[in-house]
Amino acid sequence: MEERNELYPVFLKVNQLNILVVGGGNVGHEKLYFLLKSSPNANVEVVAKKFLPETAELAKKFGVKMTKGRYRRKYLKKRHVVIAATNDAKLNKRVHRDAKKRYLLANIADTPDLCDFYMGGIVNKGHVKIAISTNGKSPTTAKRLREFFEEVIPENVNQMVENLNEYRKSIKGDFEAKVEQMNTITESLKVKKNKND
């Protein structure tokens, strides 16, 4: 039987959640960068013994709290999500253990077995956001798919979303009737397959 991607995609309101990133090196910087690229108002604190200059600059730009020092369990207090991104595998596993004791969602960099979620490729065009997952198997494939979607999704998609939202508000009737009307209007967005394909 073919292996399936069992992940369930969700979009977290990270500006309303408390996130801890452990690690101020290259991997920590990458995790923080992509988190803030997608969600500039994310509520994040980074704890590390030292930080890359570009991480300090990024944190300052986005108002991210930086705590210099060793990771301690107490940093998990009142958190919802923790990302361990150090080059110390033992420390990353300890963060994971501590997170699980508190029922926190955890992402342990480069250790899929210790991840409750993956930080996949993200396409962002205004209100439209597409998350891409390869089930942790190939980040490069996710990157290429992201680049593809960024090219093919028109820049004016945001205006279309706004217009459809206004129209949706004006539709009368029950939920099913509204869904049917919106489906009819957006039918043209589907790509028709050529019968010869």
Side-chain angles (χ1 to χ4, degrees):
M1 191 169 139
E2 190 177 323
E3 188 179 350
R4 292 180 50 175
N5 184 331
E6 295 285 348
L7 300 173
Y8 185 80
V10 296
F11 291 90
L12 299 174
K13 296 180 179 180
V14 291
N15 61 323
Q16 298 175 23
L17 300 175
N18 291 319
I19 301 168
L20 179 71
V21 175
V22 180
N26 289 324
V27 180
H29 178 79
E30 182 182 80
K31 297 283 187 180
L32 182 64
Y33 173 80
F34 284 111
L35 180 62
L36 294 171
K37 180 181 178 194
S38 182
S39 308
N41 294 312
N43 186 14
V44 188
E45 179 178 354
V46 182
V47 63
K49 288 188 270 187
K50 55 186 175 185
F51 299 94
L52 294 175
E54 53 267 38
T55 304
E57 192 177 308
L58 185 67
K60 185 177 179 184
K61 180 179 176 183
F62 288 94
V64 170
K65 182 178 179 185
M66 295 178 65
T67 301
K68 194 169 185 176
R70 292 179 180 272
Y71 162 79
R72 302 269 189 252
R73 262 188 320 221
K74 68 178 183 177
Y75 291 127
L76 296 179
K77 193 174 182 182
K78 297 184 180 178
R79 303 290 176 185
H80 300 102
V81 177
V82 61
I83 299 166
T86 75
N87 59 3
D88 180 342
K90 282 176 71 174
L91 174 57
N92 287 345
K93 285 179 181 175
R94 189 172 134 223
V95 172
H96 177 262
R97 265 194 324 273
D98 292 346
K100 293 295 91 194
K101 287 176 185 172
R102 290 163 177 74
Y103 301 100
L104 303 179
L105 289 176
N107 175 281
I108 311 304
D110 297 325
T111 317
D113 290 348
L114 300 183
C115 290
D116 296 314
F117 65 95
Y118 301 130
M119 298 172 79
I122 296 171
V123 180
N124 208 7
K125 296 262 180 145
H127 291 297
V128 176
K129 190 169 278 195
I130 300 170
I132 302 163
S133 164
T134 59
N135 210 17
K137 303 283 186 201
S138 177
T140 304
T141 301
K143 176 184 175 184
R144 293 299 174 226
L145 286 170
R146 176 182 54 78
E147 290 167 347
F148 169 76
F149 284 118
E150 283 174 344
E151 251 181 64
V152 298
I153 295 173
E155 292 300 323
N156 66 347
V157 72
N158 206 47
Q159 188 59 52
M160 180 189 73
V161 170
E162 292 283 2
N163 291 343
L164 286 171
N165 183 49
E166 288 306 311
Y167 180 73
R168 183 180 62 130
K169 290 177 189 174
S170 72
I171 298 173
K172 305 291 182 227
D174 63 12
F175 179 75
E176 286 181 23
K178 289 181 179 189
V179 169
E180 193 173 314
Q181 271 192 273
M182 291 304 291
N183 283 339
T184 302
I185 290 167
T186 58
E187 183 72 23
S188 65
L189 294 175
K190 288 174 35 180
V191 177
K192 303 289 185 212
K193 283 191 101 177
N194 189 324
K195 288 181 183 176
N196 298 326
D197 285 354

